[in-house]
Amino acid sequence: MRSREREEVRGGRSAHCAALAVGLLIVSVSMGAPPIDPLPAPFYSFDLASPRVIAGLVGAADILAYAEPDPEVVVPASALGFVSPGDDLDALSHLCHPDAAAEFSISFSVDRETVGLEPPEWMLVSMGVPHNPLSQAERGQAAGDQYAGLTVFSVAGVKSRPGGRPPNSALVRNNFNEGGTSFSASPDSHASGDGGGESQDNVDGTGKDGGGGGFRQGDVLEDWYFSATAASPSLELLPGSDKPSGAHVFYNARPVDPLDPTDTELYATFLDLGLQQADDVDGLIVLDLDADGSFSQGDVVLFSLAPGSPSLGTIPGSPADVFRVTYGAAPMLFADAIEFGLGASSDNTDSLDMFPCMDGTDCALQHGIRADRGDMNCDHVVNFDDIDPFVTALVSQGQYELDYPLCNWWNGDCDESTDVNFDDIDPFVTLLVSGGAAPSDSDTHLDVGS
């Protein structure tokens, strides 16, 4: 890894560099930083304390799909059997069928109290994917995001970790539409911005549809698996009401089928999962082998537990860990929180999903929200205002990070060489001229002197 403190360059060069864009015509445009290959938009839910739920725009037991400016309700709470405004759907899964040898990564969300443990993985940062739960928690906007772990799993457990580097994760979807989709969540801020202390919408359930894509008008939306918070009043009315529990997992085959809507059933009770009645499942991936909506031989459930769940002391584990239970067996740890760059005492994994992946680092580079190359003052525009901070970044990484603590020093790596140096000057000028378009060969040249 390169030193975080770069050698200071001569004052004459710095002064010359500060005037590098004189006479250029600048085109100022809003900057985005979409992934190279965005993950498909999931269906999702918000918790009861989310501003959009409090405002009555959506319900905490509704299943939502991405839309702007507010999410679209695609499965209303009532279709799932939730009839109280105090109900909160807090774990969601679609039917998944990976075989035993399949390799996948886990995507997840976190709650408002999560702070993260590991800083963004330095190699990903240097290659333009600079965000993870810690970086977003520092900005006050982590609860409306989705992240992808770098560890690769099979149904049996860990398959591979990033070679020679600590496990971690990368931001793949955030509040602001930087990846083609978002969760339309508050605060509406860029990944590199600051949430400004605003209340956060909390994504507490995600699940992709059977085709791996987002919502399409006319979809029947089959095979939903879900749980509700232990405090949800409708648990007294749903199946399993003799012993209502936030650790029951429910199933509904076609809740909004206009021709033949189905009722909610029990997929698994808390006892089936080896849990206690007072537990609260708040992240869920269901591998229903025979797709019959009933926990049976060969089925696997991956899950996380909410803080305060008594089984965290007996499995044992933490609210940021992922657990695994197979039919007829006791639950066990599947993935330690550290696999995702989590592990602080307040960290809580709040939703779970999965996607095919054979190399976690490569998948993060493909699916992660990227840096704004050339945007040196974090205003999401490349223009003259970026010149002085670019000069500071050339002179000293340490000084730049003191002056711009929420910005990304690697944004100055305009030639994408995994370094910030004088070779970045011409590509930076190209970005100024193009208003932030990707660097390319150009006749534009700056003579910085000797």
Side-chain angles (χ1 to χ4, degrees):
M1 181 177 177
R2 298 179 185 274
S3 169
R4 293 179 59 84
E5 295 294 331
R6 306 292 173 176
E7 293 182 1
E8 290 202 2
V9 297
R10 297 173 185 169
R13 288 194 175 188
S14 299
H16 198 141
C17 192
L20 60 87
V22 173
L24 291 177
L25 175 63
I26 305 304
V27 182
S28 296
V29 297
S30 295
M31 290 290 292
I36 295 171
D37 180 18
L39 287 173
F43 300 102
Y44 60 100
S45 63
F46 285 151
D47 73 359
L48 274 172
S50 295
R52 279 173 169 75
V53 173
I54 293 171
L57 298 173
V58 298
D62 294 334
I63 298 177
L64 311 173
Y66 166 68
E68 291 290 353
D70 299 303
E72 179 178 4
V73 176
V74 295
V75 180
S78 59
L80 299 173
F82 295 114
V83 296
S84 168
D87 291 328
D88 190 345
L89 184 156
D90 71 337
L92 182 63
S93 177
H94 261 88
L95 182 65
C96 300
H97 283 298
D99 61 47
E103 297 179 333
F104 59 87
S105 288
I106 289 177
S107 58
F108 62 96
S109 68
V110 298
D111 67 7
R112 299 174 186 86
E113 285 70 44
T114 294
V115 298
L117 186 65
E118 291 291 329
E121 208 281 320
W122 75 267
M123 192 186 80
L124 291 181
V125 174
S126 71
M127 298 182 73
V129 181
H131 310 297
N132 79 343
L134 185 147
S135 76
Q136 296 306 285
E138 290 177 338
R139 290 161 168 79
Q141 55 192 39
D145 296 336
Q146 186 178 32
Y147 307 88
L150 306 188
T151 300
V152 174
F153 298 91
S154 70
V155 174
V158 172
K159 191 82 171 178
S160 63
R161 292 185 175 93
R165 299 186 305 280
N168 212 311
S169 57
L171 178 68
V172 295
R173 199 179 324 274
N174 77 323
N175 314 34
F176 188 83
N177 184 354
E178 282 174 304
T181 65
S182 72
F183 291 117
S184 298
S186 297
D188 183 12
S189 55
H190 291 259
S192 58
D194 187 343
E198 292 183 36
S199 298
Q200 298 182 62
D201 287 319
N202 181 34
V203 174
D204 65 349
T206 57
K208 60 179 179 289
D209 70 8
F215 174 64
R216 297 174 295 273
Q217 291 294 332
D219 280 353
V220 174
L221 306 179
E222 296 180 321
D223 295 319
W224 296 96
Y225 301 79
F226 54 94
S227 74
T229 60
S232 296
S234 290
L235 289 176
E236 300 282 352
L237 306 173
L238 288 168
S241 60
D242 56 325
K243 291 184 176 180
S245 174
H248 287 338
V249 176
F250 300 98
Y251 170 75
N252 196 309
R254 296 180 308 278
V256 290
D257 187 335
L259 300 178
D260 185 23
T262 55
D263 295 326
T264 290
E265 308 169 15
L266 261 179
Y267 171 74
T269 68
F270 66 88
L271 290 171
D272 294 331
L273 300 176
L275 300 174
Q276 303 179 48
Q277 186 176 1
D279 287 330
D280 197 334
V281 170
D282 68 348
L284 185 65
I285 298 173
V286 173
L287 311 174
D288 188 356
L289 186 66
D290 51 11
D292 66 348
S294 178
F295 191 48
S296 56
Q297 192 66 40
D299 290 358
V300 178
V301 176
L302 304 180
F303 64 94
S304 62
L305 292 172
S309 295
S311 288
L312 291 173
T314 59
I315 296 176
S318 80
D321 294 335
V322 178
F323 305 99
R324 175 182 181 267
V325 62
T326 59
Y327 180 77
M332 59 185 294
L333 182 67
F334 179 79
D336 190 280
I338 196 63
E339 302 291 349
F340 311 111
L342 303 173
S345 60
S346 62
D347 288 353
N348 178 32
T349 300
D350 212 18
S351 76
L352 296 172
D353 208 340
M354 62 194 304
F355 61 94
C357 179
M358 297 179 66
D359 183 303
T361 300
D362 182 64
C363 290
L365 290 172
Q366 292 296 310
H367 305 312
I369 290 178
R370 303 182 70 80
D372 292 335
R373 302 282 186 180
D375 177 23
M376 303 305 295
N377 65 349
C378 303
D379 66 353
H380 312 290
V381 176
V382 179
N383 58 19
F384 277 108
D385 293 337
D386 294 298
I387 295 173
D388 285 348
F390 178 69
V391 172
T392 302
L394 286 177
V395 172
S396 168
Q397 179 180 359
Q399 186 61 51
Y400 175 82
E401 291 175 344
L402 284 173
D403 293 347
Y404 303 91
L406 293 180
C407 296
N408 178 25
W409 179 79
W410 294 96
N411 285 3
D413 179 23
C414 298
D415 66 352
E416 302 188 31
S417 67
T418 69
D419 198 0
V420 178
N421 55 31
F422 280 97
D423 292 337
D424 294 299
I425 293 173
D426 282 354
F428 177 65
V429 172
T430 300
L431 287 169
L432 286 173
V433 173
S434 63
S440 60
D441 290 338
S442 172
D443 293 333
T444 304
H445 178 70
L446 170 72
D447 179 6
V448 296
S450 57

